[in-house]
Amino acid sequence: MHSTPPPKVTDRINRLIPYRPGKPTDEVKRELGLSDVIKLASNENSLGPSPMALQAVREKLSLIHNYPDSGCFELCQKVADKLDVSRENLVFGNGSDDIIHLLGVTYLEPGDEVITGDPSFVRYEAAAILNQTVCHLVPLRNFSFDLDAMAARISDRTRIVFIANPNNPTGTIVTKSALEKFIARLPERSILVLDEAYYEYVESTDYPNVLDYVRAGCNVVALRTFSKAYGLAGLRIGYAIARPEIAEHLNRVREPFNVNLVAQIAAAAALDDSSHLQRTQEANRLGKRQLADGFHHLHLKYLPTEANFYWVDVGRDSREVFDHLLRAGVIVRTGDIFGAPNYIRVTIGTKGENERFLRGLESILTGKVAGVPS
């Protein structure tokens, strides 16, 4: 037998930019010989998962020899009741990333166009590339989605518009009035996808209620997740809220059993744990103030955030800052992957985690370790 060349892939696969996840804590411990590492890179819930979710999983682990409910019946009913929508409005996925993929497979054909902002979540562009469509990346204006510029790119080939609200990595939002003007400019064949992964953290009174548009029969899809505020990132579960016709099409396309049994059990219990959600939101509010005080102390520019992370201009190569913090056992996200080499994205952690991050940041910016506001 002799070696043969590897099979040729399609050109669109070569165009894909692989998603770069935050470094796992265990990997950093192995590489640097550290015993204590904190991760502020992936916008996970610093308080961990809901205790009620953990208890529900413990009680039902003996059932994992069974296939999950393909329709997520119990969870679907709980979400429908909580949001006051119909079960027919909901689609569940293996994380909201799964539903982004479903939207591309279901609605995009060669010759169609996708519009989104830049920088934002990389999987929007990936949905376009995988389905042989053009993706228009419209630069942000003042670190927010430039809806006027995006509207100017709309054509009769525009099929999907992706807006992350709040946006990742900037933490900024699109307001209700701006969004409604934009929706009025969308052609009938276009679908507006509002990715609300950080919805539970938003405090602004100008934030739009996407359910109003869904109930009105607009071609609007909201994406939400249990990965962030609910602390279930490791179980991968998210969902879409859409008019029944869109939801039915997505449910036709999705894989059977795409949401595992443990994820369904944990998510249903987490929905009932309002105390944990409230603690998460309060911890985020306190952490926002703590980090903002620290950035002021260090004379750093940062964006006010409506999410559980900050986008910060560190005034130098973010890889240098990342490497320094990594040696101190703190993992953050570099801005170079978003085309912003002087920025870092840092998750809002616990009080102690935030203090440790700020100490490490000050040590590299000033050349010495010093106290920071807490």
Side-chain angles (χ1 to χ4, degrees), residues 5-195:
K8 186 178 183 299
V9 301
T10 61
D11 290 339
R12 63 182 182 275
I13 301 303
N14 288 323
R15 291 169 53 208
L16 279 176
I17 301 173
Y19 179 75
R20 282 170 51 184
K23 287 177 75 70
T25 54
D26 286 345
E27 180 181 329
V28 175
K29 290 176 182 178
R30 288 194 303 269
E31 289 180 353
L32 300 180
L34 299 174
S35 59
D36 182 18
V37 175
I38 60 172
K39 185 180 179 184
L40 301 177
S42 298
N43 306 334
E44 295 149 336
N45 188 327
S46 62
L47 301 186
S50 150
M52 289 176 61
L54 288 177
Q55 182 61 30
V57 168
R58 292 188 191 102
E59 292 174 358
K60 301 275 184 80
L61 273 178
S62 63
L63 301 178
I64 61 173
H65 62 294
N66 295 321
Y67 283 106
D69 180 344
S70 185
C72 299
F73 181 86
E74 180 184 353
L75 177 61
C76 185
Q77 190 62 58
K78 281 198 169 189
V79 173
D81 291 343
K82 182 179 179 64
L83 300 180
D84 192 24
V85 298
S86 167
R87 293 170 50 83
E88 285 68 38
N89 291 118
L90 300 173
V91 181
F92 289 85
N94 182 33
S96 52
D97 304 25
D98 185 22
I99 300 173
I100 293 169
H101 179 73
L102 290 178
L103 284 160
V105 172
T106 305
Y107 289 105
L108 295 178
E109 295 180 322
D112 286 338
E113 296 180 355
V114 169
I115 300 173
T116 191
D118 184 35
S120 193
F121 188 40
V122 67
R123 297 309 297 177
Y124 308 147
E125 183 181 11
I129 292 171
L130 287 171
N131 292 284
Q132 304 180 67
T133 63
V134 175
C135 185
H136 297 296
L137 298 175
V138 180
L140 304 184
R141 180 162 56 90
N142 297 325
F143 299 99
S144 298
F145 276 81
D146 187 345
L147 297 191
D148 288 336
M150 291 173 69
R153 300 304 298 266
I154 293 172
S155 72
D156 58 3
R157 294 187 297 276
T158 301
R159 188 60 161 152
I160 299 180
V161 178
F162 287 103
I163 295 177
N165 202 31
N167 185 38
N168 175 15
T170 60
T172 54
I173 63 166
V174 169
T175 63
K176 179 180 178 180
S177 60
L179 184 64
E180 291 182 351
K181 290 177 184 176
F182 183 78
I183 290 174
R185 299 178 68 174
L186 280 175
E188 287 186 1
R189 77 183 298 267
S190 298
I191 298 171
L192 174 60
V193 180
L194 293 168
D195 189 344

